[in-house]
């Protein structure tokens, strides 16, 4: 298997797989709201539907992780997930009642929600023991996200939202073809099972819990924006082509931000907390600008800040979790960080954002985002002062030598 895997064709298929998978997901996150609005749903109903994904993923991710560990054939598991996503996506677009849409969307999210995590695990498993780096494959995913977003926007301008189901099917089939072309993988890099003890150790760390709490306050407005930006643009008179341009600008430089952070940011608690305070301030500026936007072009241009804000926050948050949580419990710390950022915040952001957008308007929704982010910015700033003045002590299990390197 390793000999076949070293062939350029195998890694080319893996890159194309990432390209098409990310392209599929951006269709759903950026344009499905327009379809729901077209069938008669209001903003609150749309927000509720989109937030179901975060709720379902809480249960779906462990389920697929268990099956991957049991069968040690992640390629086949991902293929099943893609097939389920394809079948249920077409069922959603054929649904003629709200009840049918809600039921089918829950089942759809069960297959689609964990695709990112399982795909990343599969890529890491394939490149293990080779000189290939994950960033190069992540770059193809970002390209797929950006290029598909702008191309789909132009196609939807030329036609209408009804062709969304066909675009979905084409990209999912292309993902499955690229996956089938990969050689069989006889192992996978899974995550260690989480225990109650490990989670309890994480919860006994008040400094880490403050980091999680302020992270939720940053993430909720980000979820609001991801869910309703496309509807905001159309309400201001913009086209689907402008939605595609906004998504393109928000993602095309994201990988570059990851690379720069990886290369230049020191792995010190004080540095990373300070960076989170700075990025949160940029988030605040972003939502303040969005609240004051009066034209679709302004909304599009503001999305350029997404590359710095989301890319910087999520990367730094992942690194900081490694430093704040004792080594034996870092898996649980990362799980909790991801769960709160994309799970809990996804639920709250979708429902709260939908209610605000429906009853008070988009400007009020973003103003609430400014308020949440202001609290988080102040909170991270206080944490930074606490660390720089020597008030923070690392968990005992980290080790004295590592403590010195990570803090000072």
């Amino acid at each position: 298997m390793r000999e076949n895997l070293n062939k350029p064709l195998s890694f080319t298929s893996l890159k194309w797989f990432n390209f098409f998978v990310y392209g599929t997901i951006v269709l759903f996150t950026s344009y499905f709201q327009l379809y729901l609005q077209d069938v008669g749903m209001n903003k609150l109903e749309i927000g509720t539907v989109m937030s179901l994904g975060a709720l379902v993923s809480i249960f779906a991710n462990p389920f697929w992780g268990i099956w991957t560990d049991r069968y040690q054939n992640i390629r086949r598991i991902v293929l099943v997930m893609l097939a389920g996503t394809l079948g249920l996506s077409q069922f959603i677009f054929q649904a003629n009642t709200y009840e049918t849409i809600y039921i089918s969307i829950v089942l759809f999210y069960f297959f689609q929600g964990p695709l990112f995590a399982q795909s990343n695990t599969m890529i890491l498993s394939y490149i293990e023991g080779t000189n290939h780096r994950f960033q190069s494959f992540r770059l193809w995913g970002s390209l797929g996200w950006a290029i598909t977003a702008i191309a789909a926007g132009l196609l939807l301008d030329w036609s209408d939202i009804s062709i969304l189901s066909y675009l979905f099917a084409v990209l999912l089939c292309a993902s499955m073809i690229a996956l089938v072309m990969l050689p069989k993988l006889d192992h996978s890099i899974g995550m260690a099972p989480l225990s109650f003890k490990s989670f309890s150790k994480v919860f006994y760390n008040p400094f880490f819990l403050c980091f999680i709490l302020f992270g939720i306050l940053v993430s909720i407005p980000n979820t609001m924006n991801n869910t309703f930006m496309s509807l905001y643009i159309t309400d201001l008179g913009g086209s689907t082509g402008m939605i595609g341009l906004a998504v393109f600008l928000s993602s095309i430089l994201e990988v570059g931000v990851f690379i720069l952070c990886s290369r230049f940011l020191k792995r010190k608690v004080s540095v990373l907390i300070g960076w989170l305070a700075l990025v949160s301030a940029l988030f605040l500026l972003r939502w303040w600008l969005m609240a004051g936007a009066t034209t679709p072009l302004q909304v599009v241009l503001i999305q350029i800040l997404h590359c710095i804000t989301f890319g910087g926050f999520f990367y730094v948050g992942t690194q900081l979790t490694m430093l704040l949580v004792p080594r034996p419990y870092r898996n649980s710390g990362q799980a909790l960080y991801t769960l709160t950022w994309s799970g809990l915040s996804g639920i709250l952001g979708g429902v709260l954002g939908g209610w605000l957008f429906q009853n008070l308007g988009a400007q009020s929704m973003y103003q609430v985002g400014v308020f949440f982010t202001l609290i988080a910015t102040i909170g991270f700033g206080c944490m930074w002062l606490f660390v720089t003045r020597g008030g923070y002590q690392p968990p005992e299990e980290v080790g004295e030598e590592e403590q010195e390197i990570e803090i000072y």
Side-chain angles (χ1 to χ4, degrees):
M1 187 273 294
R2 182 60 60 187
E3 292 179 357
N4 291 333
L5 189 56
N6 283 330
K7 294 180 180 179
L9 178 60
S10 299
F11 288 109
T12 299
S13 297
L14 199 57
K15 291 175 181 178
W16 280 112
F17 165 78
N18 228 29
F19 182 95
F20 292 126
V21 165
Y22 275 73
T24 302
I25 303 304
V26 76
L27 289 180
F28 192 80
T29 58
S30 301
Y31 297 106
F32 186 62
Q33 302 91 322
L34 300 179
Y35 170 79
L36 294 177
Q37 183 173 253
D38 191 62
V39 299
M41 285 191 175
N42 61 35
K43 304 297 193 304
L44 177 57
E45 291 169 333
I46 292 172
T48 303
V49 166
M50 301 302 289
S51 68
L52 286 174
L55 178 62
V56 173
S57 68
I58 296 175
F59 308 97
N61 275 296
F63 174 85
W64 291 109
I66 290 171
W67 281 99
T68 299
D69 291 339
R70 177 172 297 183
Y71 284 99
Q72 287 297 304
N73 192 336
I74 192 169
R75 174 172 164 269
R76 180 176 297 177
I77 295 296
V78 173
L79 187 60
V80 170
M81 294 171 69
L82 287 172
T85 301
L86 174 60
L88 288 165
S89 66
Q90 300 309 303
F91 193 76
I92 292 171
F93 288 113
Q94 300 302 320
N96 51 19
T97 64
Y98 285 175
E99 292 78 9
T100 307
I101 290 178
Y102 276 104
I103 294 172
S104 55
I105 201 72
V106 168
L107 296 174
F108 169 85
Y109 276 129
F110 187 78
F111 286 90
Q112 181 268 327
L115 259 180
F116 273 152
Q118 291 296 316
S119 297
N120 289 341
T121 301
M122 185 182 70
I123 292 170
L124 290 170
S125 299
Y126 270 109
I127 66 177
E128 184 186 23
T130 72
N131 59 356
H132 291 268
R133 295 187 176 184
F134 179 78
Q135 289 90 333
S136 62
F137 297 92
R138 180 64 174 80
L139 174 61
W140 278 73
S142 294
L143 289 174
W145 183 282
I147 293 173
T148 301
I150 197 166
L154 295 174
L155 283 172
L156 292 172
D157 265 346
W158 171 74
S159 181
D160 56 60
I161 200 67
S162 63
I163 70 167
L164 192 59
S165 62
Y166 300 107
L167 297 177
F168 242 91
V170 169
L171 288 175
L172 281 169
C173 288
S175 301
M176 296 169 71
I177 292 171
L179 187 61
V180 169
M181 293 177 66
L182 291 170
K184 182 180 178 180
L185 190 65
D186 58 8
H187 73 289
S188 66
I189 302 175
M191 294 184 70
L194 305 180
S195 65
F196 175 78
K197 179 182 178 181
S198 61
F199 267 113
S200 64
K201 283 286 186 179
V202 171
F203 276 107
Y204 283 140
N205 186 339
F207 195 82
F208 179 71
L209 290 182
C210 286
F211 156 67
I212 290 293
L213 175 62
F214 296 136
I216 291 174
L217 292 177
V218 172
S219 181
I220 289 175
N222 187 64
T223 300
M224 292 179 184
N225 181 73
N226 291 341
T227 304
F228 296 106
M229 181 194 67
S230 58
L231 299 180
Y232 190 26
I233 289 176
T234 56
D235 283 359
L236 291 174
S239 64
T240 53
M242 296 198 77
I243 295 173
L245 180 59
V247 178
F248 177 85
L249 292 176
S250 70
S251 59
I252 193 62
L253 299 177
E254 187 178 284
V255 172
V257 172
F258 284 135
I259 294 173
L260 290 175
C261 288
S262 176
R263 183 168 298 179
F264 295 109
L265 276 183
K266 296 181 179 179
R267 293 184 73 252
K268 294 182 180 179
V269 174
S270 59
V271 173
L272 296 180
I273 288 288
W275 180 256
L276 286 184
L278 176 61
V279 171
S280 298
L282 290 175
F283 262 122
L284 190 154
L285 173 63
R286 183 180 170 192
W287 307 141
W288 178 74
L289 292 173
M290 288 289 284
T294 56
T295 67
L297 182 59
Q298 290 176 341
V299 175
V300 169
L301 295 177
I302 293 169
Q303 298 314 304
I304 297 175
L305 284 172
H306 177 84
C307 301
I308 302 173
T309 52
F310 174 78
F313 194 98
F314 197 80
Y315 174 86
V316 173
T318 302
Q319 296 299 311
L320 193 58
T321 299
M322 299 291 287
L323 301 183
L324 297 181
V325 177
R327 185 179 297 276
Y329 312 111
R330 285 175 180 173
N331 186 43
S332 296
Q334 293 290 353
L336 181 61
Y337 173 61
T338 303
L339 178 65
T340 54
W341 178 267
S342 59
L344 180 61
S345 301
I347 299 169
L348 295 175
V351 176
L352 177 61
W355 186 87
L356 290 169
F357 202 159
Q358 178 67 30
N359 294 284
L360 302 176
Q363 286 79 11
S364 296
M365 180 185 71
Y366 283 110
Q367 287 169 357
V368 170
V370 169
F371 175 71
F372 283 171
T373 312
L374 176 61
I375 297 175
T377 303
I378 295 173
F380 283 128
C382 291
M383 290 178 68
W384 177 78
L385 287 174
F386 186 70
V387 172
T388 55
R389 293 180 178 180
Y392 171 70
Q393 295 298 323
E396 294 179 0
E397 295 88 343
V398 173
E400 294 181 1
E401 181 179 353
E402 190 175 2
Q403 290 175 19
E404 293 181 2
I405 295 174
E406 291 172 344
I407 298 179
Y408 307 109

